[in-house]
Every structure is written in C-alpha cells, then in structure tokens.
C-alpha cells in the first residue's frame, strides 16, 4: 500500500520549455537531462522551437544553453530570431548562450582511414562547460550524414553522443528532417527514444495550419492529439485542444447588459460575470449595437473589453456607434477597450483561436465580444466551429471572462435555429434573440430571452427602437390579440386615448347631471319644507281658535246655570 | 619537422596541421602516417603542426573540427582536409596532390 503511494508520487523530472502551451501538453516540459527528438518537414518550425527552448530557458528559468547548428550560420540564426524579438547577441555577450556553427562540407572533406567524432564532443563539451549549459540543441545533426561517408562510424558515434549527453545531464533537443517512411531520414528515433515530437505543416482548403504531436514520451503521460501551433512575432505558441476540464470557478457577480430596460428583463438585473452570452438575430436587428452597448457599459465601469470584429474595421465600428450616441473612442484612448478586426478567411479556425488566446493573455480583459461568430463558418464546417467554440468558451471561463457572441441567423420559418447558433446554443449560458417582427407594411425589432442559466427572466418579447440617442426598450403594450408593436402599438395607443377622452366627457356629463338633480332635489325639499311649515302654522292657528272658542262656551254655560 | 633544403627542390613548402584528440591509437596512427609521407614522398619538405584539441578546445571551434584525426593542408593552396587516421596512403597522396 505504502509502496503504491510512493510509486504514484514519482514524477519524471521535466524541464519546462517556456513555449506557450507545449508545457501543458507535455505535462511539465521535456524530460530533464535527456535528449528529445523534434522532427518534421522543411519549414515547419523545428529550429525556431528549439531556439525558443534555449532562449526561454535562459530568460525564464536561468538555464544557459548551447545551440549547435549544422545548417545555419550563427549570424543567420541571430537575424532570424531577432525578428521574433529575441536579442541573442545580448545573451551571447552575457555568456548565457553559445551558438556554434558546425560546417560540414562534403566537397572539402576527404576520408582516409578510421576516425571518430571527438571533435564534435569536445566542441560541445567545451561550449557546455563555458556557459554551464543546462540546455543543448543540435540542429540538424543529420547534416553529418550528408557531409561524411562512413555511416557505420557515424551511427556508432551518434549513439555515443546521445549517451554522453545524458551523462552530462543536459536537456537536449535534437532536430531531424522528416523521412519518407520513418520519422527522420536517418532513423534518429532509434537513438533518441525518450521523447519524440513531430511537427507538421499542412494546407487544407488553402488555409495552412501547423500542427504538433507528441509521438512518444517515455515515462510520462502526455496529450496525444495533434495540437495546432502558431508562429507569430513572439515565436511559437501551442494550443491544447481539450486539456481543459469543467471545474472552473463561478462568479455570482452580476454585470449590466448595458441596454436600459434589458437589465429589467433579468431577475438578477444583468448577466453573471464570467458567463457567455449569445445574441442571435437576422440581419439588421442591432446585434452589433447591443454588443457595443455591453462593451460601453463595461468600459464605463473601468473593466477591460476586447472586441473582435469580423465584419467591420475599428474605425467603422466607432463611427457607426457614435451615430447612436456611443462613444467607443474614449474607451480606446483610456485603454479599456481594444478592437481587433480581421477577416475570418485570413486564418484557419485554429489560428483565429490562437490569436484570440494570445490577445486575451496580453490584454487580460474582463469581457470579450466576438462579433459575429457565424462568419467563422466560412472557414470551417459547423463541427469545427463548434469544437473551436468549446475551447474558446472553456478558456474564457477559466479566466472568468464574460464573453458576448453575436450570431447572424438566416431567416428561417418557425423556430428552427440556424446551424451556427446550433453549434453554440447548448454551450452558452444566456441566449438573447433579436428578431424582426413584420406586420402591416412595417418591420419592428423585438428582443427576447431564450435562456438564462441560473437566473429568472422575462418571457416577454420587448419591442425596441434605435434612435440617435441609442436603444430604447418600449413598455409592453398588450392588445386584445397579444403584445402590440409598431403601428399597431400606435393605433392601440390612439384608441386608448380616444376612449379615455370619451370616458372622461361622459363622466363630466354625469357629474353635471347629478349636480342638476341635486339642485332640483334641494329645491323640492325646500318647497316641501315651506309647505310643511305653512301646514304647521295653520294647525297652530286652528288650535288657538279652538281653545278660545271652548273658553267662551264654558263661560256661557256658567252664566246659563246661574240663570236657571 | 622542418627542412629548409626542401624549399630548394620544391617551389613551395607543404604545411600541414594535424588535429588529434589525445594519444589514442587513431591519433598515433595518423601521426605515424603523416610523418612517413613526409619522409618518403616529400623528402621531409613539409611543416607539420600537431594540435591536440583536448588541450586546445578553441582550435577545434576555430578550424571547424568535427572528426578526429583531421589533417588540413594549408599550403600550397588549395586547402585540403582529410579526416581519418590516414591509413589509406594512396588516397591521402591523391587528395594532397603529391
């Protein structure tokens, strides 16, 4: 049990290459203290990769290096990598790098009798000792085979050389030209068997892609896929296709959509930071405008936004957005916004992805806008686009970068999603659709939320208008047959106004009638009261007369009795 | 290893540089062979410099030495380079144009 544990813990010591992405696929780098073979056809980047290995070793890992070149002269090499921004002369002067050009010219050399390659060993050993090198490159040692005749000696000496390199404890890269049936023309893979990396340069549909594959790596696990790599002004970078797992951290911070009114359609009043948002819609439904709104809102909060425009140049985008009152230029000047424009057909998908990745790593944005992704289908089939999107989304999620895609959907009948949308719809967290709502001789824009993972959202189709002051979401107008838009909305509003007016005048009339009635009522009350009062008066007069008369009769009776 | 008299018989003097790596059997064979050639075919009319690249590593870089032993004929021109222990005397003579 304990043995198992220690067994598991053992990891082959590795030397990081410093080549972006390569260390990920090799899970740490090249085998430390052992030779690695890099093979590939002409012009696939062998020399560059090995040079980068040395330079990065010196700059990033403080490991001096020796470059033994059998093909290019030292000045040529210096020039070649100077264009990549590496100043070799400086490293040479600082005694951290030695470039030794080994010239083997068959026409100048004759062979007579036995020999060995001690000269090579001594030169290499001398160079290694001078700078205390930890990294060595032999580029391309196969040139010896064209310079010298005696194959038996050469092979024996190469075998000796590789074991000598191991003894020296240097991490070495040996490059080899790709052979027809074998990995290298001279079968170098026989001698260097610890790690073999194959480089490849292919052109498919007029789009060239460089790829890299680890053929073998003794004693270590490694990515086995073909990984596309890019050579640009900063050298080589490799993109692992599926090295990522879905275990990224999530944020519950909510950021504004930037569009007034749209926030209210989400229960959380916006998007989650680090989520990905798809805005799909047919042509001219203001996808770009919404994207620009989002970018603008982010920039205003001092977040950095990277905007990839596959359809418009930065200037055009800025101009168009300023026409609706969004000033993107100020954000660019302040350094919060970067707009990158490129035609999708400029590169293959892989290169686009690599470019995105590089820019993202350089700029470290908080949000990324890709406008639109549907254009990428022109350089790849939907399957490839999807796989690219998966990788892009994964990469952005890992860095907790919010990404907003726009996608142009073709006008379909009904609700069948477009292939481009289809390729990403299951990947995105929030999906907003803007669509045309055609009615009586007019076209209105409507926006609605198809999904919003982890957040309640409105089910309404909201109409919006774009004026020179920007997007404005209109209040929902509900008519007898559902939500109203455009002219119907206007008509409805007018109807409402008319009926309101009618109602009001009716009310006024009733009021007046009541008032009149009241007056009549009050008047009749008054007359009744008067009548009653006169009746009362009459009654009291009667009563008084009655009393007087009865008094008189009593007196008469009294006198009458006296008289009898 | 110099013979001034040879200059009298020949218009130019042969100058050789022999690069060896330590006193290995190949090195010794090469030295023996070139000395033999000097005596037998050049009437001692040559100048030989022996450089042990184990001692003088810069020289190996300077002269583009890969294989040892290497014999370089620096004069008369053309410069010729022969690698090996020079045991193929006929080839050596042909290459050195003797």
């Amino acid at each position: 049990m304990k043995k198992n544990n220690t067994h598991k813990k053992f990891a082959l010591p590795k030397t990081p290459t410093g080549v972006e992405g390569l260390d990920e696929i090799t899970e740490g780098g090249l085998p430390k203290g052992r030779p690695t073979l890099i093979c590939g056809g002409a012009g696939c980047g062998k020399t560059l990769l090995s040079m980068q290995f040395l330079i990065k070793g010196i700059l990033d890992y403080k490991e001096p290096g020796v470059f033994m070149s059998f093909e290019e002269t030292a000045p040529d090499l210096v020039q070649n990598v100077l264009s990549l921004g590496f100043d070799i002369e400086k490293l040479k002067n600082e005694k951290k790098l030695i470039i030794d050009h080994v010239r083997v010219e068959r026409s100048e050399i004759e062979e007579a009798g036995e020999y060995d390659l001690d000269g090579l060993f001594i030169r290499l050993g001398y160079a290694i000792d001078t700078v205390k090198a930890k990294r060595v490159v032999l580029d391309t040692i196969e040139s010896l085979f064209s310079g010298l005749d005696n194959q038996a000696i050469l092979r024996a000496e190469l075998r000796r050389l590789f074991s000598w390199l191991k003894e020296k404890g240097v991490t070495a890269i040996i490059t080899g030209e790709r052979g027809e049936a074998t990995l290298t023309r001279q079968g170098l893979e026989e001698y260097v068997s610890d790690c073999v990396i194959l480089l490849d340069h292919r052109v498919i549909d007029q789009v060239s892609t460089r790829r890299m594959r680890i053929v073998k790596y003794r004693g270590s696990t490694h990515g086995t896929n073909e990984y596309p790599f890019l050579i640009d002004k900063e050298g080589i970078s490799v993109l692992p296709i599926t090295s990522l797992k879905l275990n990224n951290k999530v944020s519950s911070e909510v950021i504004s959509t930037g569009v007034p009114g749209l926030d209210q359609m989400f229960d959380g009043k916006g998007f989650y930071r680090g989520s990905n948002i798809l805005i799909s819609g047919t042509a001219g439904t203001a996808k770009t405008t919404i994207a620009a709104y989002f970018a603008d809102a982010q920039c205003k909060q001092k977040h950095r936004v990277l905007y990839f425009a596959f359809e418009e140049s930065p200037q055009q985008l800025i101009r168009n957005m300023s026409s609706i009152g969004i000033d993107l230029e100020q954000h660019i000047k302040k350094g919060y916004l970067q707009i990158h424009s490129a035609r999708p057909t400029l590169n293959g998908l892989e290169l686009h992805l690599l470019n995105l990745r590089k820019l993202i790593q350089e700029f470290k944005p908080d949000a990324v806008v890709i406008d639109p992704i549907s254009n990428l289908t022109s350089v790849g089939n939907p399957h490839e686009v999807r796989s690219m999107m998966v990788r892009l989304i994964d990469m952005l999620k890992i860095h907790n970068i919010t990404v907003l895609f726009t996608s142009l959907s073709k006008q379909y009948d009904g609700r069948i999603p477009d292939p481009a949308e289809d390729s990403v719809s299951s990947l995105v967290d929030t999906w907003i659709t803007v669509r045309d709502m055609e009615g009586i001789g007019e076209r209105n824009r409507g926006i609605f939320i198809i999904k919003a993972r982890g957040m309640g959202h409105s089910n309404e189709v909201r109409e919006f208008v774009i004026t020179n002051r920007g997007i404005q979401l209109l209040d929902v107008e509900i008519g007898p047959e559902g939500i109203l838009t455009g002219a119907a909305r206007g008509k409805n509003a007018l109807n409402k106004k008319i009926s309101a007016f009618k109602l009001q005048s009716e009310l006024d009339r009733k009021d007046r009638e009541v008032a009149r009635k009241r007056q009549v009522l009050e008047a009749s009350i008054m007359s009744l009261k008067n009548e009653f009062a006169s009746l009362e008066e009459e009654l009291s007069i009667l009563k008084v007369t009655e009393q007087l008369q009865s008094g008189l009769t009593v007196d008469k009776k009294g006198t009458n009795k006296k008289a009898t | 290893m110099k013979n001034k008299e040879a200059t009298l018989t020949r218009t130019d003097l042969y100058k050789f540089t022999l690069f060896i790596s330590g006193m290995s059997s190949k090195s010794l064979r090469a030295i023996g062979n070139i000395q033999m050639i000097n005596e037998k075919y050049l009437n001692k009319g040559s100048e030989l410099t022996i450089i042990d690249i184990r001692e003088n590593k810069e020289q190996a870089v300077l002269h583009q030495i890969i294989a040892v032993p290497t014999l370089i004929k620096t004069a008369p021109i053309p410069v010729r380079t022969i690698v090996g222990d020079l045991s193929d005397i006929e080839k050596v003579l042909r290459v050195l144009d003797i």
Side-chain angles (χ1 to χ4, degrees):
Chain A
M1 191 68 190
K2 207 176 179 184
K3 219 176 186 180
N4 270 349
N5 276 348
T6 48
H7 200 74
K8 260 185 192 169
K9 268 180 195 162
F10 173 77
L12 194 77
K14 292 182 183 182
T15 298
T17 59
V19 177
E20 202 180 297
L22 182 57
D23 293 342
E24 281 177 50
I25 27 179
T26 52
E27 294 178 8
L30 304 180
K32 194 182 185 74
R34 298 184 187 195
T36 294
L37 177 66
I38 294 181
C39 47
C44 65
K46 300 186 292 291
T47 305
L48 186 65
L49 180 63
S50 30
M51 193 49 116
Q52 207 171 330
F53 167 72
L54 285 190
I55 294 170
K56 291 280 179 185
I58 296 165
L59 295 178
D60 298 352
Y61 304 101
K62 307 248 179 296
E63 296 191 352
V66 171
F67 193 99
M68 196 167 239
S69 166
F70 294 82
E71 283 176 341
E72 289 172 275
T73 61
D76 278 356
L77 273 170
V78 170
Q79 282 246 304
N80 292 352
V81 293
L82 196 64
S83 60
L84 301 170
F86 298 132
D87 190 358
I88 290 191
E89 285 298 342
K90 188 166 157 271
L91 298 177
K92 274 168 80 177
N93 292 338
E94 288 171 1
K95 295 252 180 289
K96 285 173 181 159
L97 177 69
I98 285 188
I99 298 180
D100 188 2
H101 174 227
V102 177
R103 201 163 58 96
V104 195
E105 200 66 57
R106 190 181 208 117
S107 59
E108 291 173 9
I109 297 176
E110 295 288 343
E111 291 171 39
E114 266 183 57
Y115 56 89
D116 56 41
L117 296 182
D118 252 10
L120 191 70
F121 283 74
I122 284 166
R123 282 168 74 168
L124 196 52
Y126 175 57
I128 291 173
D129 294 342
T130 309
V131 293
K132 297 186 178 58
K134 293 269 183 286
R135 299 176 180 216
V136 169
V137 171
L138 301 174
D139 178 51
T140 305
I141 204 159
E142 282 178 308
S143 303
L144 286 178
F145 284 89
S146 58
L148 297 169
D149 271 333
N150 197 327
Q151 300 263 322
I153 289 180
L154 278 177
R155 289 187 183 280
E157 287 295 286
L158 280 186
R159 203 176 285 277
R160 187 161 73 96
L161 177 68
F162 294 135
S163 55
W164 178 79
L165 282 172
K166 273 191 187 179
E167 264 171 47
K168 276 265 174 192
V170 292
T171 308
I173 287 184
I174 290 105
T175 65
E177 197 83 12
R178 177 137 204 204
E180 271 171 30
T182 51
L183 288 174
T184 56
R185 258 180 223 162
Q186 304 298 339
L188 286 179
E189 59 271 24
E190 275 177 48
Y191 311 108
V192 189
S193 44
D194 289 310
C195 180
V196 179
I197 298 173
L198 182 66
L199 304 184
D200 182 28
H201 190 190
R202 255 176 282 171
V203 179
I204 302 164
D205 290 339
Q206 290 145 36
V207 175
S208 87
T209 317
R210 294 167 196 273
R211 284 162 206 270
M212 172 186 290
R213 182 164 68 94
I214 296 169
V215 181
K216 84 188 230 188
Y217 198 143
R218 199 176 268 176
S220 166
T221 53
H222 57 86
T224 49
N225 296 331
E226 277 196 313
Y227 301 97
F229 70 95
L230 177 74
I231 297 179
D232 65 5
K233 57 182 191 297
E234 275 140 43
I236 289 181
S237 42
V238 190
L239 184 76
I241 294 184
T242 45
S243 71
L244 303 162
K245 301 166 187 112
L246 283 173
N247 56 0
N248 44 297
K249 277 190 226 156
V250 291
S251 166
S252 46
E253 185 194 342
V254 173
I255 53 172
S256 165
T257 63
V259 181
L262 185 57
D263 285 350
Q264 271 63 49
M265 292 176 72
F266 292 95
D267 286 359
K269 309 293 175 234
F271 308 130
Y272 283 123
R273 175 163 301 287
S275 67
N276 40 60
I277 302 114
L278 173 69
I279 297 180
S280 68
T282 48
T285 45
K287 297 181 294 296
T288 302
T289 311
I290 294 172
Y293 256 92
F294 173 67
D296 184 53
Q298 285 293 295
C299 288
K300 277 182 183 154
Q301 289 168 20
K302 303 198 192 308
H303 292 307
R304 296 155 85 86
V305 179
L306 197 54
Y307 195 113
F308 294 100
F310 286 125
E311 276 174 342
E312 294 174 280
S313 71
Q315 288 78 16
Q316 194 184 343
L317 189 70
I318 290 166
R319 183 202 65 193
N320 293 353
M321 289 308 127
S322 68
S323 75
I324 53 163
I326 300 178
D327 183 7
L328 293 179
E329 200 157 14
Q330 55 164 343
H331 302 312
I332 293 178
K333 279 186 187 147
K334 284 180 195 159
Y336 291 127
L337 179 67
Q338 272 191 10
I339 303 178
H340 289 271
S341 293
R343 281 278 167 210
T345 43
L346 179 71
N347 294 319
L349 280 176
E350 305 301 344
L351 287 196
H352 274 303
L353 186 52
L354 264 174
N355 268 329
L356 295 181
R357 184 182 148 110
K358 278 189 84 75
L359 286 167
I360 287 163
Q361 289 190 341
E362 277 168 25
F363 188 57
K364 299 201 182 352
D366 300 293
V368 171
V369 175
I370 299 176
D371 179 33
I373 52 159
S374 41
N375 265 20
L376 293 173
T377 42
S378 60
V379 269
N381 60 44
H383 177 74
E384 286 170 336
V385 174
R386 187 186 158 86
S387 100
M388 171 191 163
M389 296 315 299
V390 171
R391 279 142 57 197
L392 179 64
I393 288 173
D394 280 350
M395 181 180 79
L396 293 167
K397 283 228 158 169
I398 285 222
H399 295 100
N400 202 21
I401 296 170
T402 318
V403 59
L404 187 142
F405 306 103
T406 70
S407 173
L408 174 71
S409 46
K410 293 178 190 73
Q411 195 88 53
Y412 275 100
D413 293 330
R415 291 279 318 114
I416 307 158
D418 190 66
E421 287 175 23
D422 199 28
S423 64
V424 289
S425 59
S426 65
L427 305 170
V428 297
D429 297 323
T430 303
W431 186 359
I432 298 170
T433 287
V434 276
R435 62 187 309 198
D436 284 335
M437 296 185 292
E438 255 177 86
I440 19 162
E442 60 169 17
R443 192 173 74 95
N444 299 303
R445 295 187 176 102
I447 187 166
F448 60 97
I449 301 164
I450 295 183
K451 71 169 181 184
R453 281 184 184 148
M455 197 183 277
H457 52 273
S458 161
N459 65 346
E460 293 160 352
V461 180
R462 292 286 295 272
E463 186 188 5
F464 66 98
V465 289
I466 300 175
T467 64
N468 54 9
R469 278 173 299 148
I471 293 181
Q472 199 190 342
L473 259 73
L474 304 177
D475 288 334
V476 183
E477 196 74 56
I478 299 171
E481 283 138 28
I483 287 171
L484 298 173
T485 60
R489 171 196 288 274
K491 191 179 157 200
N492 190 52
L494 187 67
N495 279 345
K496 269 169 97 175
K497 221 172 175 180
I498 291 169
S499 53
F501 180 72
K502 271 185 178 164
L503 183 67
Q504 191 58 48
S505 50
E506 182 75 5
L507 282 175
D508 290 351
R509 195 176 61 79
K510 289 266 190 220
D511 273 351
R512 282 196 299 278
E513 200 175 300
V514 167
R516 274 200 302 276
K517 279 248 164 89
R518 177 172 288 125
Q519 278 175 357
V520 171
L521 185 69
E522 276 168 5
S524 56
I525 288 172
M526 192 56 74
S527 75
L528 279 175
K529 269 187 177 165
N530 290 341
E531 206 173 317
F532 182 69
S534 60
L535 270 177
E536 263 182 340
E537 217 170 308
E538 203 174 323
L539 186 65
S540 62
I541 293 171
L542 272 177
K543 274 183 181 166
V544 172
T545 353
E546 185 67 23
Q547 275 176 352
L548 286 173
Q549 274 181 356
S550 61
L552 281 176
T553 347
V554 170
D555 284 349
K556 257 181 198 173
K557 260 185 183 171
T559 44
N560 282 349
K561 264 182 188 171
K562 240 176 220 180
T564 47
Chain B
M1 287 172 205
K2 292 181 203 173
N3 195 335
K4 292 270 156 112
E5 287 167 355
T7 44
L8 302 174
T9 52
R10 303 187 69 94
T11 50
D12 40 18
L13 181 74
Y14 276 87
K15 280 187 184 167
F16 297 116
T17 314
L18 181 65
F19 293 88
I20 55 164
S21 152
M23 286 298 147
S24 69
S25 57
K26 282 193 279 277
S27 307
L28 294 175
R29 272 205 302 279
I31 294 170
N33 282 329
I34 190 65
Q35 278 174 346
M36 188 267 286
I37 289 169
N38 180 37
E39 279 168 29
K40 202 168 168 186
Y41 300 94
L42 299 175
N43 201 15
K44 296 187 178 174
S46 69
E47 205 179 279
L48 176 66
T49 317
I50 297 175
I51 296 176
D52 186 349
I53 54 170
R54 293 210 173 169
E55 308 296 326
N56 297 294
K57 290 170 178 173
E58 303 88 350
Q59 293 294 318
V61 181
L62 207 65
H63 291 93
Q64 284 290 350
I65 304 303
I66 306 151
V68 281
T70 293
L71 179 74
I72 299 178
K73 182 193 78 171
T74 47
I77 47 170
V79 175
R80 302 309 297 261
T81 306
I82 304 177
V83 299
D85 60 9
L86 311 176
S87 51
D88 188 348
I89 300 288
E90 272 179 42
K91 189 170 180 184
V92 174
L93 293 177
R94 195 174 68 240
V95 173
L96 295 180
D97 200 16
I98 296 172

